[in-house]
């Protein structure tokens, strides 16, 4: 005779755990347990046994609990049974089961958790609110169709992100409501109940059209990342057919212009215009919710290039920037040195230590500074045991420039600070004399201001101490002046 465990909701981990405890304590084997969600049709067992009372506590590996908490949100009706079978095995002599990555149950559980996480990511990136005027004031309403039972689990994300708004998210199975103070959940709804249009949509459309880079058009990847079912909820995707049609023409224009796209709307704030244009691909959809994910995607993209310069293949790794998203000051050096190449972090060698000290003396707090390089790989000549730094040439700078520009777009700084000639060239797109330009502001990508100063390694190369001190003081003055620009 089987035993039915009836759960109050489809993704209620605490309830599943309680029921599982009871079944386990009663010695109910996995094949004898029937799992159901209250309200679903009864299964094969003629008689429902009452849900077993909570039994004795059991200890299972953390890895199982972490996976189970996520996998239970999967829409596969077999998930509860699978979780119970794994639990049974863990508590019946297979305590190390979670380490057997090839075990079919473990593989399935991991795949479920992964699918749930992916669904959550899509919800973060593709959900769009529409503004609705009600008698009680403005409310934002979104329709979304998740694959899995993620509404409750992801509600917190939207509370953190839109704490100041009153909003509702409606899905076919659930609705989530935030009134500015408290969350509540209700039954699902229908798409037709969510207003199709509002005044905010033209803005989204304009924004999306502006960030779209036709040269990087990958319709297959676009569809895989953003299935059509999400498109129809996203006002900006109304622009997709037009953009696809215009892509070849726009690429030709960009090539003719040397890679920079036209500014469709000079009225937009400089900062937004720059950020949106240079960020330039579908990763920006991530960036709108998770800039760190967009930076990671950028690094992956560089690693996947098959036309990297030879020196990049000799380097240990690409080194991207470091610092807070939204830092007002964005420092650009030349390229990673020997230590940076090994550690995978910018400015951690001698020049970096000097820059750090000068930053402190100039009173620039670390959370105001993001630091990166124009060239992302260490270029060196392998001479015996030592790796001798080689300066990047104009071709190297041009190769990495799109990555630098997109990094800027993701971080969204107010002022770019060029440390030395390579950075100045990468940021302005042309060769400029550093000593004549230092301390002044010149035009950077998309009109973002660039403040020029020397590279800290220039100070390290000064032979006499007096000269060193004099130049150090000037460098600190420059950093102070840069800071004053954003305060
Ligand atoms: N010099 C640079 O320009 N960048 C680094 O990251 C280190 C040294």
């Amino acid at each position: 005779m089987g035993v039915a465990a009836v759960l109050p909701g489809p993704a209620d981990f605490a309830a599943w755990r309680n029921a599982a405890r009871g079944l386990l304590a009663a010695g109910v084997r996995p094949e004898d347990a029937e799992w159901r969600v209250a309200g679903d049709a009864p299964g094969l067992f003629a008689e429902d046994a009452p849900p077993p009372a909570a039994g004795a506590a059991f200890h299972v590996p953390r890895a199982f609990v972490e996976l189970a908490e996520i996998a239970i949100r999967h829409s596969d009706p077999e998930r509860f049974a699978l979780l119970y079978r794994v639990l049974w095995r863990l508590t019946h002599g297979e305590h190390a089961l979670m380490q057997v990555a090839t075990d079919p149950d473990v593989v399935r559980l991991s795949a479920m958790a992964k699918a749930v996480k992916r669904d959550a990511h899509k919800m973060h990136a593709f959900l769009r609110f529409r503004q609705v005027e009600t008698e009680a004031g403005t409310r934002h309403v979104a329709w979304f169709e998740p694959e899995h039972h993620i509404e409750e689990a992801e509600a917190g994300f939207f509370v953190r992100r839109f704490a100041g708004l009153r909003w509702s998210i409606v899905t076919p199975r659930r609705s989530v409501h935030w009134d500015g103070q408290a969350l509540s959940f209700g039954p699902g709804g229908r798409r037709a109940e969510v207003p199709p249009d509002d005044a905010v949509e033209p803005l989204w459309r304009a924004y999306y059209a502006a960030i779209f880079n036709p040269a990087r058009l990958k319709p297959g990847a676009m569809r895989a990342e953003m299935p059509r079912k999400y498109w129809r909820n996203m006002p900006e995707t109304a622009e997709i057919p037009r953009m696809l049609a215009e892509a070849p023409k726009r690429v030709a224009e960009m090539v003719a212009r040397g890679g920079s796209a036209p500014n469709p709307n000079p009225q937009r704030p400089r900062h937004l215009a720059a950020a949106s244009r240079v960020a330039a691909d579908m990763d920006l959809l991530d960036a709108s919710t998770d800039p760190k994910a967009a930076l990671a995607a950028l690094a992956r993209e560089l690693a996947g290039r098959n036309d990297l310069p030879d020196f990049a293949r000799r380097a240990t790794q690409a080194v991207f920037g470091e610092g807070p998203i939204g830092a007002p000051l964005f420092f650009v050096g030349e390229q990673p040195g020997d230590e940076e190449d090994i550690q995978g972090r910018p400015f951690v060698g001698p020049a970096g230590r000097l820059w750090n000290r000068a930053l402190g003396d100039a009173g620039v707090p670390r959370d105001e500074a993001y630091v990166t390089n124009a060239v992302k790989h260490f270029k060196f000549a392998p001479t015996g045991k030592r790796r001798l730094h080689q300066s990047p040439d104009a071709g190297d700078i041009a190769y990495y420039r799109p990555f630098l520009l997109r990094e800027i777009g993701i971080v969204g700084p107010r002022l770019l600070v060029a440390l030395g000639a390579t950075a100045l060239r990468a940021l302005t797109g042309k060769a400029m004399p550093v000593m004549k330009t230092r301390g002044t502001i010149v035009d950077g990508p998309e009109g973002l201001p660039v403040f020029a100063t020397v590279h800290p390694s220039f100070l390290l190369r000064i032979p006499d101490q007096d000269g060193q001190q004099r130049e150090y003081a000037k460098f600190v003055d420059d950093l102070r002046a840069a800071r004053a620009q954003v305060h």
Side-chain angles (χ1 to χ4, degrees):
M1 179 72 188
V3 178
V6 183
L7 302 174
D12 188 336
F13 182 70
W16 175 86
R17 190 178 47 200
N18 260 345
R21 269 191 190 134
L23 293 175
L24 213 52
V28 177
R29 298 184 58 81
E31 53 275 26
D32 295 328
E34 187 205 350
W35 293 90
R36 274 198 286 115
V37 177
D40 286 357
L44 297 173
F45 296 96
E47 283 175 46
D48 273 3
F58 49 82
H59 296 286
V60 289
R62 239 225 84 72
F64 169 70
V65 179
E66 280 168 6
L67 216 53
E69 275 174 340
I70 298 171
I72 201 164
R73 297 172 206 152
H74 200 281
S75 52
D76 186 338
E78 289 298 311
R79 64 194 178 283
F80 307 120
L82 172 67
L83 287 171
Y84 186 59
R85 189 163 64 245
V86 174
L87 176 66
W88 178 271
R89 293 177 62 190
L90 285 167
T91 51
H92 287 78
E94 294 183 77
H95 196 75
L97 177 61
M98 298 310 291
Q99 280 145 38
V100 188
T102 52
D103 180 274
D105 282 346
V106 175
V107 168
R108 206 165 145 211
L109 204 55
S110 306
M112 279 185 183
K114 202 164 160 199
V116 169
K117 284 192 206 162
R118 195 164 167 70
D119 204 26
H121 172 76
K122 288 200 159 77
M123 188 175 183
H124 296 178
F126 303 145
L127 182 141
R128 294 285 180 271
F129 285 107
R130 272 104 204 238
Q131 194 170 314
V132 190
E133 297 307 328
T134 69
E135 281 183 4
T138 303
R139 190 158 195 100
H140 291 77
V141 185
W143 169 252
F144 194 74
E145 294 170 62
E147 307 265 323
H148 306 292
H149 302 277
I150 57 173
E151 294 91 337
E152 266 94 342
E154 299 311 321
F157 171 87
F158 293 96
V159 169
R160 286 191 296 281
R161 190 130 221 278
F162 301 105
L165 302 181
R166 290 166 59 243
W167 52 256
S168 296
I169 297 172
V170 184
T171 82
R173 288 182 291 239
R174 221 66 185 111
S175 56
V176 187
H177 310 277
W178 172 251
D179 65 2
Q181 313 266 316
L183 259 183
S184 57
F185 298 93
R190 287 181 306 122
R191 185 164 188 263
E193 290 158 10
V194 177
D197 216 339
D198 77 2
V200 184
E201 297 207 348
L203 281 180
W204 274 109
R205 288 184 190 184
Y207 179 68
Y208 185 70
I211 65 170
F212 178 78
N213 182 342
R216 303 197 64 248
L217 184 61
K218 288 178 275 185
M222 224 159 116
R223 275 189 284 274
E225 272 306 305
M226 187 174 33
R228 277 180 188 277
K229 81 169 184 182
Y230 301 117
W231 291 24
R232 51 173 205 248
N233 304 322
M234 300 170 69
E236 64 269 35
T237 53
E239 295 297 310
I240 286 178
R242 183 183 61 73
M243 292 188 305
L244 289 176
E246 287 179 2
K249 190 164 142 258
R250 282 190 56 196
V251 172
E253 284 170 7
M254 281 170 67
V255 170
R257 238 182 232 104
S260 75
N263 180 354
N265 180 0
Q267 311 300 334
R268 275 196 307 161
R270 278 166 121 198
H271 169 74
L272 179 62
S276 57
R277 210 99 42 70
V278 296
D281 75 355
M282 297 302 290
D283 294 341
L284 203 102
L285 284 171
D286 273 356
S288 66
T289 54
D290 185 359
K292 293 267 179 212
L295 286 175
L298 196 57
R300 276 199 304 279
E301 187 183 319
L302 181 61
R305 292 280 290 238
N306 55 16
D307 61 348
L308 284 170
D310 283 348
F311 68 86
R313 307 207 173 277
R314 289 193 294 271
T316 311
Q317 58 196 307
V319 179
F320 271 83
E322 225 174 63
I325 302 295
L329 295 171
F330 189 104
F331 288 87
V332 182
E334 181 194 74
Q335 61 168 337
D338 186 79
E339 288 186 46
E340 287 81 9
D341 171 73
I342 292 163
Q343 291 193 40
R345 297 177 55 204
F347 281 92
V348 291
R353 286 191 281 275
L354 186 63
W355 172 75
N356 239 317
R357 178 152 73 87
L359 214 54
D361 288 343
V364 179
R366 285 316 299 238
D367 62 0
E368 290 189 3
Y370 183 95
V371 63
T372 192
N373 285 299
V375 169
K376 307 297 186 196
H377 288 99
F378 179 31
K379 185 173 181 181
F380 64 93
T383 52
K385 272 197 210 152
R386 294 194 52 215
R387 306 194 295 172
L388 266 193
H389 166 275
Q390 286 187 316
S391 294
D393 60 29
D396 303 330
I397 297 171
Y399 181 86
Y400 290 95
R401 190 164 190 256
F403 288 89
L404 174 65
L405 299 189
R406 284 164 61 196
E407 202 178 3
I408 294 168
I410 294 166
V411 174
R414 302 225 299 275
L415 181 68
L416 306 170
V417 183
L419 300 169
T422 298
L424 193 55
R425 183 173 193 139
L427 290 173
T428 60
K430 54 185 186 241
M432 293 182 85
V434 175
M435 286 308 182
K436 277 200 192 142
T437 319
R438 82 178 292 180
T440 68
I441 292 201
V442 291
D443 259 5
E446 311 298 337
L448 265 179
V450 177
F451 182 94
T453 184
V454 296
H455 192 283
S457 63
F458 159 71
L459 309 179
L460 293 172
R461 288 196 300 269
I462 299 173
D464 65 299
Q465 243 194 353
D466 282 357
Q468 257 178 27
Q469 278 173 5
R470 223 180 13 256
E471 282 301 330
Y472 179 79
K474 276 165 81 179
F475 186 51
V476 171
D477 282 348
D478 279 353
L479 299 184
R480 243 185 236 119
R483 185 179 185 222
Q485 293 290 328
V486 295
H487 278 273

